[in-house]
Structure formats: C-alpha cells, structure tokens
Amino acid sequence: PLTIIAKEGKLIQESNLSEQKAFLRLFHGNIHRTENDVYTKIDFNQYDINLYDPVTMTQKQKTPLSYNINDIKRAFASPETSKKLLLKLKIEYHRRTALSILCIIFTLLGVGLGTTTNKRAAKSSGFVLSIGLVVGYWIVYATMENLGKSGVLPIEFAVWLPNTLFLLFALSSLKKASV
C-alpha cells in the first residue's frame, strides 16, 4: 500500500489542441509505502501526480475471474468463445456455485462434529479439527480442479466431488450426533 500525505496541494491543468493534461502538485509532505513487510517513508518538498485524460484512456480487457454471472452466461452462448476460455469460464462458474454451497456444508459439519466432541478438550481439539478440515477440503478441491483442467475428469464432476464428499461426511456426523 502507498499513502501520500501533504500539507498543501494544487491542481494544475494544461491543454492544447491535441490533448489535455492535469496533475496534482503536492507541497511539503511524505510518502509512506509498505511492501513485503518493509516500511519506507520519503519526505518531499514538491511532488507531482499525473492525472490522466479520460478521453485517451482505454478500458482494460476483463479477465474470466472478473466476469459476473451474466458475462459468463453470455460467453457460454457466444459461438466466438474459444475452447480455452470456455474451459476457464466453466470452471469459474462451477467454482463460484460450489464454494457458495460449501458454507452450508461446513455449517452442517460443524454442528455434527460440535455436538460429539470431548468436553474436556473441546476448545483446542475443535480448533485443530476445523483447521484440518479446511486444509483437507482445499487439498481435495485443488487436486480435483487440476484433474478437471487437464481433462482427466469432467469439470462439473471435478469441482463438485469435494463438496459431495464433505456433505456425506457432514450428514454422517449429524446422524452420529443424533443417536
């Protein structure tokens, strides 16, 4: 993160026939920057920040991770979508849905396991068990997703298999807790 603090500032505009320019000139301040746990402070008497002309700026191309659900559905329907992009979007679509439902699965799992823990070691063992379950889920999920990306398994099966396995485990722990 970068933070710039100044006692005074002035907005300066320049324009000619071909373009407009503007910059913010700051006086008597400092720049605070933290990167990789290293803190740097720089003092300045004058510092200029360029403000770009919105007319000349171009919009960045969206990445599949930044698509919303409607964008993903439009890309599925478009015949121009490449197979590589279609694979990424299919993974992203199922990942978003599967991870949303995972919250409910982990809740069921927590209820089932929380009612059957040993009372003496409940605090420490519950924490260790929950961390172990999350790490275990991500190992299974990452493995299955990679198998789906490489084409060994269908995407839908690969992304949803970890949820299915953990749902079965959650239901069995709930059944065990009710007995």
Side-chain angles (χ1 to χ4, degrees):
L2 178 75
T3 305
I4 302 173
I5 301 171
K7 291 183 180 177
E8 190 179 340
K10 186 187 285 187
L11 181 62
I12 300 171
Q13 296 178 335
E14 298 175 357
S15 65
N16 56 34
L17 294 175
S18 62
E19 64 182 347
Q20 293 183 344
K21 291 182 182 178
F23 58 93
L24 183 61
R25 180 164 286 159
L26 302 174
F27 301 100
H28 310 292
N30 41 49
I31 302 170
H32 304 268
R33 183 177 186 167
T34 305
E35 190 173 324
N36 299 328
D37 295 332
V38 176
Y39 172 74
T40 307
K41 180 185 174 191
I42 301 169
D43 294 321
F44 61 84
N45 288 327
Q46 179 179 315
Y47 185 73
D48 291 341
I49 299 174
N50 286 326
L51 305 174
Y52 297 99
D53 184 9
V55 173
T56 60
M57 290 182 68
T58 58
Q59 189 173 4
K60 289 185 177 182
Q61 185 72 22
K62 275 185 154 183
T63 63
L65 292 177
S66 66
Y67 281 15
N68 61 33
I69 295 297
N70 291 331
D71 291 337
I72 292 173
K73 288 179 180 178
R74 267 193 299 274
F76 283 155
S78 173
E80 299 171 1
T81 307
S82 68
K83 286 191 175 193
K84 187 177 179 181
L85 180 60
L86 204 57
L87 178 68
K88 284 182 181 180
L89 292 174
K90 207 173 185 181
I91 291 170
E92 186 61 27
Y93 178 79
H94 286 287
R95 176 189 299 142
R96 290 180 188 185
T97 313
L99 291 179
S100 298
I101 293 177
L102 179 64
C103 297
I104 298 167
I105 294 171
F106 274 152
T107 301
L108 293 173
L109 194 55
V111 169
L113 293 175
T115 56
T116 59
T117 56
N118 182 354
K119 299 292 185 210
R120 279 191 232 171
K123 287 183 182 179
S124 62
S125 67
F127 179 74
V128 171
L129 184 63
S130 64
I131 296 296
L133 286 170
V134 170
V135 169
Y137 175 85
W138 279 111
I139 290 171
V140 173
Y141 179 82
T143 304
M144 292 295 113
E145 187 177 307
N146 285 331
L147 289 173
K149 283 180 184 176
S150 64
V152 175
L153 294 173
I155 295 298
E156 296 86 355
F157 180 75
V159 173
W160 284 96
L161 182 64
N163 279 22
T164 306
L165 294 174
F166 273 71
L167 178 62
L168 292 173
F169 182 54
L171 293 176
S172 71
S173 69
L174 281 172
K175 185 176 180 184
K176 200 182 288 185
S178 66
V179 173

